[in-house]
Amino acid sequence: MTRANRIAVFKDEAKKSVLLLPAILLLLCFFVTPIVLTVYYSFTNLALSGSNAKELRFIWFENYRHMLSDPNMFISIQKTLIFLIGSLAGQTILGFLIACFMKEKSKVFRSIAGPCFLAGWVMPEIVVALCFMAFFKDNGTLNIILGVFHIPAVSWLFEHPMFAVIAANVWHGMAFSMLNFQSALDNVSGDMEEAARVDGANRFQVLWRITIPCIKDTIATNTMLNTLSTLGVFGLIYAMTGGGPANATTTLPIYMYNQGLKGMQLGFGTAIGMVILLVGAICSLFYAKALKAEK
């Protein structure tokens, strides 16, 4: 390649790179920079009040040592895992069942029913929380329905708060899973399913042995995305229960808020944020490795 050709190629690549600059700047400002600051501040005594607010000092692993000695930290990890597993199971199963149901319907029905399911997904978390508070409160819709069948009322938000917030999050996020599965199911070859039925397979066997293996990549990707979004759920839980009663729904984001903003210890709060980031990274690596192993 001559010098003139190399210069021409360089100029061409430079022009292409210029088009990527806005996206790169956005990533640096809103993704890379917050992560770097979170890592840095987690090793400091950053605070909004008290003696630590006078001078920012580097305290190394003191925040992490304090975190590991706090029993509420392990309670919040336990509650986070329960909330995560319950939400993932509900969103994945319901989203898949709705997608299967929608696949067999006409385009007119899907064009009408689809937006109805999507309404819950596009609704802000605070609105979802208020709707489910009205549904689960002592004189709410659910207890009215139970009363029709002469079943005693239940104080859902006090006796079963984790179930209430999981149900709200499942309803809020299942439409996203439905969209992913609906797109994947539309790409499953109908000839394969028809051939299996001709060979004597029933509906469940076709679903288990043909449909699910064909969309396993979509299932893994959907699970990964739902995991990352569920780990960051804050407004819905805080509006419904505030993390209570007695830390019954205090997940890691709630615990981080209580320590970082309510307790005004931002350094300690960012250290908790690092734990959330670590959990999300481990889950992402696990899903990515599972996908790679299957190919």
Side-chain angles (χ1 to χ4, degrees), residues 110-273:
R110 292 171 65 170
S111 65
I112 297 173
C116 295
F117 288 114
L118 289 175
W121 182 41
V122 300
M123 194 176 293
E125 278 189 353
I126 186 65
V127 178
V128 175
L130 293 174
C131 290
F132 273 84
M133 284 176 66
F135 183 74
F136 281 116
K137 67 181 182 179
D138 293 349
N139 59 343
T141 308
L142 182 55
N143 280 332
I144 292 175
I145 296 172
L146 294 177
V148 173
F149 297 97
H150 305 288
I151 300 175
V154 178
S155 182
W156 296 98
L157 293 175
F158 183 77
E159 297 178 14
H160 308 287
M162 183 57 75
F163 171 77
V165 295
I166 288 175
N169 193 53
V170 167
W171 183 84
H172 183 48
M174 69 179 180
F176 176 73
S177 297
M178 181 202 73
L179 285 176
N180 288 329
F181 291 137
Q182 193 173 2
S183 176
L185 289 172
D186 288 340
N187 292 323
V188 175
S189 174
D191 294 337
M192 295 173 60
E193 295 179 344
E194 186 63 29
R197 293 191 186 96
V198 171
D199 289 339
N202 56 37
R203 291 175 65 90
F204 177 77
Q205 289 173 328
V206 172
L207 179 68
W208 185 256
R209 296 184 179 275
I210 303 295
T211 306
I212 292 179
C214 287
I215 64 169
K216 60 185 179 181
D217 288 351
T218 301
I219 294 174
T221 303
N222 179 75
T223 305
M224 179 177 66
L225 294 175
N226 281 338
T227 297
L228 297 178
S229 64
T230 301
L231 283 173
V233 172
F234 169 78
L236 186 145
I237 299 175
Y238 193 79
M240 287 185 68
T241 64
N247 293 332
T249 55
T250 301
T251 57
L252 283 171
I254 300 292
Y255 180 63
M256 179 177 66
Y257 171 79
N258 289 337
Q259 298 297 324
L261 293 179
K262 274 192 171 181
M264 297 188 178
Q265 302 301 313
L266 296 183
F268 186 49
T270 53
I272 301 170

